[in-house]
Amino acid sequence: MPMEKGNLSIHSENIFPIIKKWLYSDHDIFIRELVSNACDAITKVKRLSSLGEADLQDQKDFKVQVILDPDQKTLKFIDNGIGMTDEEIKKYINQIAFSGAEDFIKQYKDKSDADQIIGHFGLGFYSSFMVADKVQILSRSHKADAQPVKWHCDGGIEFEMEPGEKETRGTEITLFLGEEGEDFINGHRIRQTLNKYCSFMPYPIYFTDLSQAPEQDDEGNVVIKDPEPINNTTPLYAKRPNECSEEDYKNFYKSTFNDFKDPLFWIHLNMDYPFNLKGILFFPKLGNEFDTLEGQIKLYNSQVFVADNIKEVIPEFLLLLKGVIDCPDLPLNVSRSFLQNDGFVKKISDYITKKVGDKITSLQKTDRESFEKYWDDIHPFIKFGALKDEKFADRVKDSILLKDTAGSYRTVLEYAGVSDGSDDKKTVYYTTDTQLQSQYINMLKEHGIEAAVLDHQIDSPFISMIESKYDNIGFKRVDADLSDLIEDKTDENEADTSVSEKIEAMYKRILSQERFLVQLQNFKSKDVAGMILLSEDSRRMQDMMRQYSMAGMDPSMFPSEQTLVLNRNHPLVQYTLSHLDEEDDLADMVAEQIYDLAMLSHKPLDSNAMTAFIKRSNTIMTKLIDDKA
């Protein structure tokens, strides 16, 4: 063929600035695009061979080579795929945005599997100009009488094309890296990017860095010796679940996410209709509560990495997991970087949510022992999902477990001791701090009640959600109104109204609080002098006000009434009651001490109250010593 010069067929001379600045968000994506094109070229020639339309002459060792020469500042992408004639280069390279993949699919639409072709837009090749000042193509078509072609362009709208010297089938693209591509004159950066985008591409990819002391032949020429491929051409998620062992799943998880811990369990997704989707979702073992923020779900399109954690496909709560999802049917935009708005995406998201919910309910029913072992790690995820997704909540609500202070696990219905649909209202007592609220927990234990431990930051909204799902179940924190449990109703010694009014007035005077309630009761236990009770509704209002206060609202606008319940059977309370009609500093100190001791079992004292408590404790102990002396 004669030497030929011409202009690229484009609608605007500003196409390259558009590609460089707006089409792709990350400069390293050119590696993904060129390797994807190379894989497409191999897929095409394999398809033609299977149809008897291409003679490969036993040259079936398909592979993609990436070769970096730091000294020459070049980066080569070599494949032994379908190759191109001069006419095909004119059609697919010189006419920007004319997709060779799309044309191939149309031509062989009745004979080929379109899902195996990665590229659909025709702009991938031109992403190379984001980093290269000049790009050269050497290509030789699979056709028997085809002549090799050489094409090059310096990033403008002009190109040159002439006969080439390539002897083998396939295409070799050489990037002459410019100033914007200096970061890629680095073997580590290239390898890192290949691992990021090409880990699961369907043909072996070999990377050679010529700066790493390459071998030479007797004449001093560089011998490129293929190392191990950098990718896994048959990733685990592409296999059927019955082809994968437990060890396979664990190894795949560790290598993909660089996590030394085994996953708890996993869900293998494999769907062919109404859309093609494969993947594996892993439930990771959490080291601490902050790990719940470190989930990562990698999204692929035909084994080509697209992005991490795309919320249109993966529901927000599932992003706490780790996993890989490959869906060739995803409606990607022209740069294959983002999803276009499509109702189809919602169907994919719903399918994934359903499969996760089904796995949780199945595990709870069929392997309860393992499910209980997993619960401490997975409960934040399940609760978060139930709060974010109504359908997911309905699917898993009967599988949600409550762990009690004895370490036992029960579903909500089991814990409340009711059957779903029962009209009997049952109370679930819970603790948010087993140490701080130990006094209340022990009092409940005396009555055969184990409190549920709900001490995660997500548990406050979770409780309200559960109550909305079960009309016959209500939650009370252990320091809520426990009057019915702690009162000794067999004791006929009741405090008269005047005594109750006097003790309440005494505490209002001592504490300088007008909004303060005091009750006298005869506790079954004589070990506790007093306790602070706050109704569940008031406490939840306090929690809500704290959230509002962070938004600038003053929580004091909605004060809550705490109740000090005094045990009439305790000696300290009896001493206080016996000195109500006289001025006695010690009686005042004892009364205030009872209050602070009760408050310490309810919540931490502030700095001023703690200082006063310590000083008062020392004074009372000094008086005891003086009395003994």
Side-chain angles (χ1 to χ4, degrees):
M1 59 170 286
M3 173 78 169
E4 182 174 345
K5 293 186 178 183
N7 292 338
L8 302 176
S9 177
I10 55 179
H11 297 293
S12 169
E13 294 187 3
N14 295 321
I15 186 68
F16 285 105
I18 291 174
I19 291 174
K20 289 183 178 183
K21 292 185 178 181
W22 291 294
L23 183 59
Y24 296 98
S25 57
D26 300 312
H27 273 195
D28 64 1
I29 214 165
F30 78 92
I31 292 178
R32 182 193 74 175
E33 295 299 296
L34 294 181
V35 174
S36 297
N37 288 347
C39 290
D40 277 351
I42 295 173
T43 298
K44 292 173 184 177
V45 80
K46 284 183 64 179
R47 177 61 62 187
L48 292 180
S49 176
S50 69
L51 297 174
E53 299 186 21
D55 183 6
L56 302 184
Q57 299 179 351
D58 296 326
Q59 298 176 9
K60 298 181 180 180
D61 182 21
F62 298 111
K63 62 184 176 182
V64 178
Q65 288 182 294
V66 181
I67 303 173
L68 172 67
D69 187 340
D71 293 336
Q72 299 298 320
K73 296 185 178 181
T74 62
L75 186 61
K76 293 180 183 287
F77 296 82
I78 306 171
D79 69 71
N80 54 353
I82 194 170
M84 292 180 286
T85 63
D86 57 339
E87 291 300 319
E88 288 168 335
I89 287 181
K90 291 177 184 178
K91 185 175 183 180
Y92 299 131
I93 300 297
N94 294 347
Q95 298 183 50
I96 295 179
F98 190 102
S99 174
E102 184 178 350
D103 192 51
F104 184 87
I105 291 170
K106 287 180 180 178
Q107 184 176 353
Y108 295 96
K109 62 182 179 180
D110 297 327
K111 304 176 183 179
S112 68
D113 183 356
D115 289 339
Q116 293 182 12
I117 304 296
I118 299 170
H120 290 275
F121 301 107
L123 287 172
F125 164 73
Y126 283 93
S127 65
S128 58
F129 286 98
M130 292 192 298
V131 296
D133 288 340
K134 176 183 175 182
V135 178
Q136 174 182 285
I137 299 175
L138 292 176
S139 190
R140 187 184 189 110
S141 173
H142 70 286
K143 298 175 182 178
D145 57 349
Q147 299 298 312
V149 185
K150 179 180 179 181
W151 177 100
H152 63 86
C153 176
D154 62 2
I157 63 171
E158 295 182 351
F159 71 88
E160 292 186 5
M161 188 168 64
E162 58 187 309
E165 298 179 353
K166 186 171 174 55
E167 296 182 358
T168 57
R169 179 195 73 237
T171 300
E172 175 181 317
I173 298 175
T174 302
L175 276 55
F176 296 86
L177 299 172
E179 182 178 346
E180 294 185 5
E182 287 183 354
D183 288 349
F184 298 96
I185 309 174
N186 180 300
H188 176 72
R189 178 70 188 278
I190 300 297
R191 184 177 293 276
Q192 188 180 48
T193 306
L194 287 169
N195 287 331
K196 174 182 176 181
Y197 291 113
C198 310
S199 291
F200 302 135
M201 284 194 181
Y203 303 104
I205 301 168
Y206 299 93
F207 173 59
T208 301
D209 182 355
L210 296 183
S211 68
Q212 303 298 313
E215 295 184 16
Q216 295 182 338
D217 59 21
D218 295 337
E219 298 179 358
N221 297 316
V222 173
V223 176
I224 299 176
K225 188 175 182 179
D226 287 339
E228 291 294 316
I230 60 95
N231 61 320
N232 178 2
T233 59
T234 54
L236 197 67
Y237 69 78
K239 299 180 180 180
R240 295 188 178 277
N242 58 10
E243 299 173 344
C244 309
S245 68
E246 179 176 334
E247 200 62 28
D248 290 335
Y249 285 111
K250 291 179 179 179
N251 290 336
F252 179 79
Y253 171 81
K254 291 178 180 178
S255 63
T256 302
F257 299 102
N258 297 317
D259 192 340
F260 66 91
K261 299 186 296 290
D262 288 336
L264 296 172
F265 58 96
W266 47 85
I267 303 170
H268 198 137
L269 306 171
N270 194 327
M271 188 174 188
D272 297 323
Y273 182 83
F275 47 80
N276 189 344
L277 182 146
K278 292 178 173 60
I280 306 173
L281 295 178
F282 294 92
F283 287 71
K285 183 173 180 58
L286 306 180
N288 55 63
E289 64 177 299
F290 298 106
D291 281 356
T292 58
L293 305 176
E294 298 178 359
Q296 182 184 27
I297 296 184
K298 297 175 177 290
L299 186 64
Y300 288 78
N301 185 300
S302 300
Q303 296 181 233
V304 179
F305 177 75
V306 175
D308 286 323
N309 298 346
I310 293 186
K311 293 182 180 180
E312 293 88 347
V313 176
I314 314 298
E316 183 180 359
F317 70 93
L318 289 183
L319 298 181
L320 302 177
L321 304 182
K322 294 183 178 181
V324 173
I325 290 177
D326 193 327
C327 184
D329 298 330
L330 287 176
L332 297 176
N333 67 352
V334 70
S335 67
R336 291 192 291 192
S337 301
F338 303 100
L339 292 175
Q340 301 181 90
N341 291 328
D342 197 306
F344 182 72
V345 175
K346 181 66 168 59
K347 294 180 181 179
I348 296 175
S349 178
D350 290 343
Y351 165 75
I352 295 171
T353 301
K354 178 180 182 298
K355 295 296 289 184
V356 173
D358 289 345
K359 177 67 175 184
I360 290 169
T361 55
S362 173
L363 191 60
Q364 191 272 132
K365 291 177 181 178
T366 61
D367 193 358
R368 178 66 175 264
E369 183 178 355
S370 295
F371 190 65
E372 291 181 2
K373 291 179 180 178
Y374 302 149
W375 183 252
D376 287 349
D377 285 290
I378 67 174
H379 79 90
F381 152 76
I382 295 178
K383 292 172 182 176
F384 183 58
L387 287 168
K388 299 295 288 186
D389 190 293
E390 185 77 17
K391 290 182 180 179
F392 182 78
D394 291 335
R395 193 175 297 275
V396 303
K397 66 182 178 70
D398 292 337
S399 299
I400 291 172
L401 299 183
L402 298 177
K403 179 183 179 181
D404 64 28
T405 48
S408 299
Y409 295 87
R410 286 170 281 176
T411 66
V412 176
L413 291 176
E414 291 170 348
Y415 195 95
V418 298
S419 58
D420 197 8
S422 170
D423 293 330
D424 296 334
K425 186 77 172 183
K426 297 293 182 179
T427 298
V428 174
Y429 291 99
Y430 68 96
T431 174
T432 57
D433 190 322
T434 55
Q435 291 185 334
L436 184 65
Q437 298 158 2
S438 60
Q439 175 179 284
Y440 302 92
I441 293 170
N442 290 332
M443 293 183 71
L444 286 173
K445 286 184 177 181
E446 291 175 1
H447 296 81
I449 298 174
E450 292 286 351
V453 180
L454 296 173
D455 55 3
H456 195 277
Q457 57 187 1
I458 202 173
D459 283 326
S460 180
F462 163 74
I463 288 170
S464 299
M465 186 277 296
I466 286 294
E467 287 176 331
S468 71
K469 297 296 181 184
Y470 298 105
D471 294 334
N472 54 348
I473 295 175
F475 283 74
K476 277 188 179 182
R477 204 166 78 173
V478 291
D479 55 355
D481 186 4
L482 306 178
S483 301
D484 292 340
L485 290 174
I486 64 178
E487 187 175 9
D488 184 1
K489 297 181 180 179
T490 63
D491 194 330
E492 298 179 357
N493 184 16
E494 298 182 356
D496 58 40
T497 304
S498 63
V499 173
S500 297
E501 290 176 351
K502 288 180 180 180
I503 192 69
E504 187 171 287
M506 178 184 186
Y507 271 100
K508 287 181 178 180
R509 171 176 56 81
I510 293 172
L511 301 175
S512 300
Q513 292 186 31
E514 288 300 319
R515 296 179 60 86
F516 192 79
L517 300 177
V518 178
Q519 291 181 4
L520 279 170
Q521 289 188 0
N522 300 308
F523 289 11
K524 296 176 183 178
S525 170
K526 292 181 170 58
D527 297 331
V528 179
M531 59 195 309
I532 297 292
L533 297 182
L534 180 65
S535 72
E536 184 69 16
D537 290 341
S538 294
R539 189 195 58 73
R540 294 190 192 185
M541 179 63 72
Q542 279 189 350
D543 291 342
M544 185 173 67
M545 287 304 104
R546 289 192 194 97
Q547 295 178 357
Y548 286 148
S549 68
M550 290 187 289
M553 182 176 287
D554 184 2
S556 63
M557 295 171 58
F558 302 92
S560 61
E561 291 185 347
Q562 296 173 341
T563 301
L564 172 63
V565 183
L566 298 174
N567 182 7
R568 190 183 182 91
N569 292 330
H570 196 280
L572 292 178
V573 177
Q574 292 175 356
Y575 176 83
T576 304
L577 294 174
S578 66
H579 291 76
L580 287 176
D581 296 323
E582 57 188 83
E583 294 184 4
D584 188 319
D585 291 341
L586 181 60
D588 285 356
M589 282 192 290
V590 170
E592 195 167 1
Q593 198 77 351
I594 292 172
Y595 171 79
D596 280 352
L597 289 169
M599 186 60 72
L600 280 169
S601 295
H602 178 68
K603 66 178 183 179
L605 299 178
D606 62 34
S607 58
N608 292 332
M610 179 58 73
T611 299
F613 173 75
I614 294 172
K615 182 179 179 180
R616 189 186 323 111
S617 298
N618 287 327
T619 302
I620 292 174
M621 287 189 290
T622 300
K623 284 182 175 291
L624 289 174
I625 294 173
D626 291 342
D627 290 344
K628 289 292 184 180

